[in-house]
């Protein structure tokens, strides 16, 4: 948490509009079988990090629970990449038009 705080604060100094995505990896196996446990871990990490950052930085932080044994790692990385694409809506419209015109 201390290292994450340091990285987030450094990023905030460079870009005050920064958003942060944190991938909580290896949430598979018996300990994380239920979604409630995953949500509880996400909440605890978010609370601790928010507490560490304090009220001085209002930075949107998104957590993604991931595993290499299912689709979650790909889904999380996809969401992060989509956030980075300012032309995402235009690209989606072009792809929709392609699908419609080619009857895919």
């Amino acid at each position: 948490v201390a290292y994450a705080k340091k990285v987030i604060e450094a990023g905030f100094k460079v870009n005050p509009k920064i958003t942060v995505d944190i991938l909580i990896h290896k949430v598979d196996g018996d300990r994380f079988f239920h979604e409630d446990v995953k949500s509880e871990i996400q909440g605890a990490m978010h609370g601790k990090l928010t507490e560490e950052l304090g009220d001085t930085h209002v930075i949107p932080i998104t957590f993604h629970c991931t595993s290499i044994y299912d689709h979650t790692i790909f889904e999380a990385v996809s969401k992060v990449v989509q956030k980075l694409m300012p032309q995402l809506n235009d690209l989606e419209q072009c792809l929709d038009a392609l699908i419609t015109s080619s009857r895919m």
Side-chain angles (χ1 to χ4, degrees):
V1 173
Y3 182 72
K5 175 187 175 192
K6 187 184 291 188
V7 170
I8 292 169
E9 286 177 336
F12 185 79
K13 287 179 185 174
V14 173
N15 180 4
K17 295 180 182 177
I18 193 170
T19 61
V20 176
D21 287 87
I22 297 176
L23 278 64
I24 305 169
H25 195 55
K26 295 188 178 182
V27 288
D28 46 31
D30 296 336
R31 291 183 62 196
F32 303 105
F33 184 69
H34 297 288
E35 289 296 320
D36 296 341
V37 175
K38 292 178 186 178
S39 297
E40 187 178 311
I41 290 170
Q42 273 183 310
M45 290 186 74
H46 188 270
K48 182 68 174 167
L49 194 53
T50 303
E51 179 183 312
E52 288 287 325
L53 288 170
D55 295 333
T56 56
H57 307 300
V58 179
I59 301 170
I61 301 173
T62 306
F63 289 88
H64 307 274
C65 291
T66 64
S67 170
I68 61 169
Y69 298 111
D70 60 19
H71 67 282
T72 54
I73 186 72
F74 302 110
E75 190 175 304
V77 171
S78 175
K79 288 179 181 179
V80 171
V81 170
Q82 287 177 26
K83 280 185 181 180
L84 298 173
M85 295 178 61
Q87 306 87 359
L88 180 63
N89 289 335
D90 296 334
L91 178 61
E92 286 177 343
Q93 289 175 359
C94 287
L95 290 172
D96 288 341
L98 173 66
I99 290 170
T100 302
S101 65
S102 65
R103 296 185 181 111
M104 287 188 190

